[in-house]
Amino acid sequence: PISQPANSKRDVSQLLTHTAASAQSIAVQAVKEEEVESDEEDDGNGPAETYAVYMPSKLRIGRPHPDNVVETSSMSGVQPPDVWYQIEHSLPKDLIDEGRLSALQLESVAYAAQQHWTFLQDDTRAGFLIGDGAGVGKGRTIAGIIFDNYLQGRKRAVWFSVSSDLKVDAERDLGDIGARSIKVHSLTKLKYVRPPPSNKEEKIRKGVMFGTYSALIGESVTDGKHNRRLDRLVEWCAGDGSPEEFEGVVVFDECHKAKNLMPNNSSKSTKTGTFVVELQKLLPKARVVYCSATGASEPRHMAYMSRLGLWGKGTHFRQFTDFLSAVEKRGVGGMETVAMDMKLRGMYLARQLSFQGSSFQVVDVSLSPEFKQMYDDSVKLVWQGQGGGW
């Protein structure tokens, strides 16, 4: 077989419970080490290296990435789990041999597939977080995950991003890896009200439904009835079956758009965050992929990432607020520990292009009196337009 579950539900619960416990204990140790380091003087050996060269440590196939890639030194000290998913048997041979997906992109596809074989204690399928920076090729990685599932019979996928213009990029990425047969449809083509059977919308039986977060939260009122595009999307995913049985890929690209599910102040949760969480609940078996370079930078912004299994049933944190409180008490070191632990469990990878050989120059540019006056006038105009005083 191409792949098989590595752990039963019971085993996964134990792993996640251990994850939460180890995250707390390691974070405490990290805080102690920081306190010791703050008292030490520079030993004259120069600053410590912030980044380390990255190469896939457990996957032995694929061509090297065309650019030098690094990860933070703290993350480099953690090894991900072994790769048991036989990706070389699930993707076309020429895709791998010709380097359409580099080795580190193939690594993400493999770990996402492994994670998707895992079910959490609340009977939802575990998700995967891609934290790669610009230039590593998140688009191609997402295309590879969708293609891998498409070839195994999961013909419907959903891809969210921040702009409808990126639909062209999604089509390009799928085409570049040899998946031109997978059509990309616009989410806005799904009307708020189900059309008659003769409508061409009903003929969209497979492919990728691509849309923005703004399109996801779209609503309308027709004949006094409240309609949501979210409900139509769930219907499309279910096809002739039920939403609870949908096992296709759901990608939340640039997922930080949903980060304000739990805002800092007393303001309400954003509609985007609320709808992202609801979609995951309505499709419990969907293969969820979160994708953002800043997705794990602040614990409060992770509230919508329910599929990572860091809180909830079977963990030490009953609710997200418990998880948030435990991590925030430990400051930056606490969040760094969570990221390291997620990599250790095979649910998170974060790489970025190397800045080796790059240089920069700081230039002071003096502003003319005319420019300063124009800037002040512009600010005054905006301030008054918002109802403020001067």
Side-chain angles (χ1 to χ4, degrees):
I2 292 175
S3 56
Q4 59 185 9
N7 301 287
S8 66
K9 293 183 181 180
R10 182 178 180 183
D11 293 335
V12 171
S13 173
Q14 294 172 347
L15 283 176
L16 294 176
T17 300
H18 174 70
T19 297
S22 61
Q24 294 187 55
S25 61
I26 298 175
V28 172
Q29 181 62 32
V31 171
K32 292 180 178 178
E33 291 176 355
E34 289 176 1
E35 293 174 349
V36 172
E37 290 174 358
S38 64
D39 294 332
E40 294 179 352
E41 297 294 331
D42 185 2
D43 59 5
N45 293 327
E49 291 294 332
T50 306
Y51 296 98
V53 176
Y54 185 88
M55 291 292 291
S57 58
K58 301 296 179 69
L59 191 68
R60 305 304 180 189
I61 62 173
R63 291 189 176 185
H65 199 69
D67 290 305
N68 294 327
V69 176
V70 297
E71 67 175 343
T72 62
S73 297
S74 58
M75 290 287 284
S76 68
V78 177
Q79 289 294 311
D82 292 337
V83 175
W84 50 261
Y85 187 80
Q86 300 176 18
I87 194 171
E88 66 273 20
H89 294 166
S90 64
L91 292 176
K93 186 175 183 298
D94 58 347
L95 181 153
I96 299 174
D97 293 343
E98 295 175 9
R100 297 177 189 173
L101 287 176
S102 68
L104 62 87
Q105 291 169 333
L106 289 170
E107 180 187 38
S108 294
V109 176
Y111 278 121
Q114 290 187 185
Q115 187 70 3
H116 289 154
W117 271 104
T118 301
F119 277 82
L120 307 177
Q121 284 294 294
D122 61 359
D123 292 325
T124 60
R125 191 184 299 274
F128 184 75
L129 173 58
I130 301 174
D132 293 338
V136 179
K138 293 191 296 291
R140 280 209 184 187
T141 300
I142 293 171
I145 294 172
I146 292 174
F147 193 24
D148 177 48
N149 282 273
Y150 190 90
L151 294 175
Q152 297 184 55
R154 294 180 279 274
K155 304 293 186 180
R156 299 188 183 196
V158 182
W159 187 340
F160 293 105
S161 196
V162 294
S163 171
S164 57
D165 295 337
L166 295 175
K167 175 176 176 289
V168 177
D169 294 343
E171 293 171 332
R172 180 204 63 211
D173 289 327
L174 286 166
D176 287 345
I177 65 172
R180 292 182 177 85
S181 60
I182 302 179
K183 302 301 180 183
V184 181
H185 313 282
S186 176
L187 178 58
T188 55
K189 298 296 183 181
L190 289 180
K191 306 303 180 183
Y192 292 106
V193 181
R194 177 185 287 275
S198 59
N199 192 287
K200 65 179 182 179
E201 178 187 307
E202 295 299 317
K203 298 180 182 179
I204 304 178
R205 308 294 297 178
K206 60 183 179 179
V208 178
M209 192 63 71
F210 185 95
T212 64
Y213 293 98
S214 298
L216 171 65
I217 65 177
E219 298 177 287
S220 73
V221 178
T222 305
D223 298 328
K225 184 179 180 181
H226 191 71
N227 304 293
R228 306 187 307 171
R229 184 171 280 120
L230 169 66
D231 298 323
R232 291 300 326 284
L233 176 61
V234 171
E235 290 178 5
W236 180 82
C237 290
D240 298 327
S242 66
E244 292 78 12
E245 297 304 316
F246 174 72
E247 297 187 352
V249 178
V250 176
V251 179
F252 296 106
D253 192 10
E254 306 295 348
C255 59
H256 52 265
K257 292 290 289 183
K259 67 181 182 180
N260 288 323
L261 178 64
M262 182 171 288
N264 283 313
N265 49 38
S266 58
S267 59
K268 296 181 179 179
S269 300
T270 60
K271 200 172 181 180
T272 299
T274 302
F275 273 49
V276 165
V277 170
E278 183 176 355
L279 180 62
Q280 294 177 84
K281 290 181 178 178
L282 293 172
L283 304 174
K285 292 185 179 179
R287 287 167 158 78
V288 174
V289 177
Y290 307 106
C291 189
S292 173
T294 58
S297 60
E298 187 172 334
R300 182 176 296 274
H301 296 165
M302 298 178 68
Y304 62 92
M305 297 184 186
S306 55
R307 297 296 187 90
L308 295 182
L310 297 175
W311 59 86
K313 187 177 180 181
T315 73
H316 277 297
F317 308 111
R318 293 183 58 186
Q319 303 179 59
F320 173 74
T321 51
D322 300 325
F323 167 81
L324 177 62
S325 176
V327 177
E328 286 188 335
K329 287 179 181 178
R330 292 160 178 83
V332 177
M335 193 61 239
E336 188 175 42
T337 300
V338 172
M340 293 166 62
D341 206 67
M342 287 195 295
K343 178 185 176 182
L344 180 68
R345 302 299 173 188
M347 65 176 72
Y348 176 56
L349 289 174
R351 296 77 54 98
Q352 67 182 69
L353 293 185
S354 172
F355 290 105
Q356 185 176 7
S358 302
S359 61
F360 69 93
Q361 184 179 5
V362 178
V363 179
D364 292 328
V365 179
S366 59
L367 304 180
S368 65
E370 293 80 7
F371 183 90
K372 293 179 181 179
Q373 184 62 46
M374 180 178 65
Y375 181 86
D376 290 342
D377 291 343
S378 300
V379 172
K380 183 178 180 180
L381 181 63
V382 173
W383 184 260
Q384 291 177 338
Q386 294 178 347
W390 187 251

